[in-house]
Amino acid sequence: DAGVIQSPRHEVTEMGQEVTLRCKPISGHNSLFWYRQTMMRGLELLIYFNNNVPIDDSGMPEDRFSAKMPNASFSTLKIQPSEPRDSAVYFCASSGQDRFSYEQYFGPGTRLTVT
Amino acid sequence: KQEVTQIPAALSVPEGENLVLNCSFTDSAIYNLQWFRQDPGKGLTSLLLIQSSQREQTSGRLNASLDKSSGRSTLYIAASQPGDSATYLCAANNQGGKLIFGQGTELSVKP
């Protein structure tokens, strides 16, 4: 299995621009998570989906952030408009319900820089 | 609200030493606890997952323990190697997958 796939790996954009991050979870996994990592705040859960349905979006910082999961193999995290304080590494993770219940597997992350 | 703390924040040891990393959590009603490794500029690699009903899990030179009543988990690394140098993160799962992370312990193993 290729693992969790994220694109792009690096994104540099100017303040005010729209940014879209993409994630392909591990095939067969039914839960998908978006995290953000910064030096100041560490790793924070933004939102997670179960069977393509958003379950908890309490970590989404504000209305500028939105996430979708149109099918079991694809999710997007969108920031519109972007701001310099959104600069961080964004990780996607997936998990399945098996005997290693809820073990999460992370993608390589997208490093976002907003200038 | 679950809070996860890792002590120490950084640790430097000579190669070959056995070491223990600590993780504490405030809400003992966890579903499981997961230990990760993160290399600089990379994603997270899952090392061990301990279910709430388990006391420990082992993988090679790694052993993780869990004491729910005291809100503690430890990661034991035997015979440390320079390749073990990385940041180690623990994360508590209270609700079917929602992980709360500690700030991590940055480990440096000197040759």
Side-chain angles (χ1 to χ4, degrees), chain A residues 3-7 22-36 43-51 69 72-77 89-96 102-110, chain B residues 34 36 43-46 91 96-99 101:
Chain A
V4 176
I5 299 172
Q6 291 187 246
S7 65
R22 297 173 175 79
C23 176
K24 176 178 168 54
I26 292 173
S27 178
H29 281 187
N30 62 345
S31 294
L32 182 139
F33 308 82
W34 282 102
Y35 293 89
R36 179 171 68 176
L43 264 164
E44 301 175 289
L45 178 68
L46 299 177
I47 184 171
Y48 80 94
F49 296 82
N50 188 254
N51 294 322
M69 191 164 186
S73 59
F74 184 66
S75 177
T76 59
L77 177 68
V89 181
Y90 291 80
F91 288 104
C92 176
S94 70
S95 71
Y102 299 123
E103 183 168 7
Q104 291 190 23
Y105 297 86
F106 279 67
T110 295
Chain B
Q34 200 166 349
F36 295 87
L44 278 70
T45 301
S46 179
K98 184 173 179 176
L99 291 180
F101 281 85

Side-chain angles (χ1 to χ4, degrees), chain B residues 19-95:
Chain B
L19 60 100
V20 175
L21 307 181
N22 297 293
C23 172
S24 60
F25 45 94
T26 56
D27 183 352
S28 63
I30 61 171
Y31 197 89
N32 58 48
L33 188 136
Q34 200 166 349
W35 282 92
F36 295 87
R37 167 185 174 139
Q38 185 174 29
D39 293 282
K42 305 291 186 183
L44 278 70
T45 301
S46 179
L47 297 174
L48 289 164
L49 180 144
I50 313 177
Q51 302 291 356
S52 62
S53 58
Q54 297 175 320
R55 295 301 299 266
E56 64 179 84
Q57 280 282 350
T58 298
S59 175
R61 294 182 295 108
L62 305 180
N63 176 277
S65 69
L66 176 64
D67 184 344
K68 280 178 54 179
S69 61
S70 66
R72 295 180 187 273
S73 177
T74 61
L75 180 67
Y76 174 83
I77 303 177
S80 59
Q81 303 170 357
D84 295 330
S85 298
T87 296
Y88 290 81
L89 295 139
C90 70
N93 176 358
N94 279 85
Q95 183 189 327

Side-chain angles (χ1 to χ4, degrees), chain A residues 6 8 21 34-38 46 61 65 77 79 83 85-92 107-114:
Chain A
Q6 291 187 246
L21 311 181
W34 282 102
Y35 293 89
R36 179 171 68 176
Q37 186 176 39
T38 61
L46 299 177
F65 286 69
L77 177 68
I79 308 172
E83 296 182 4
R85 60 193 167 119
D86 301 331
S87 297
V89 181
Y90 291 80
F91 288 104
C92 176
T110 295
R111 182 173 296 276
L112 173 65
T113 303
V114 183

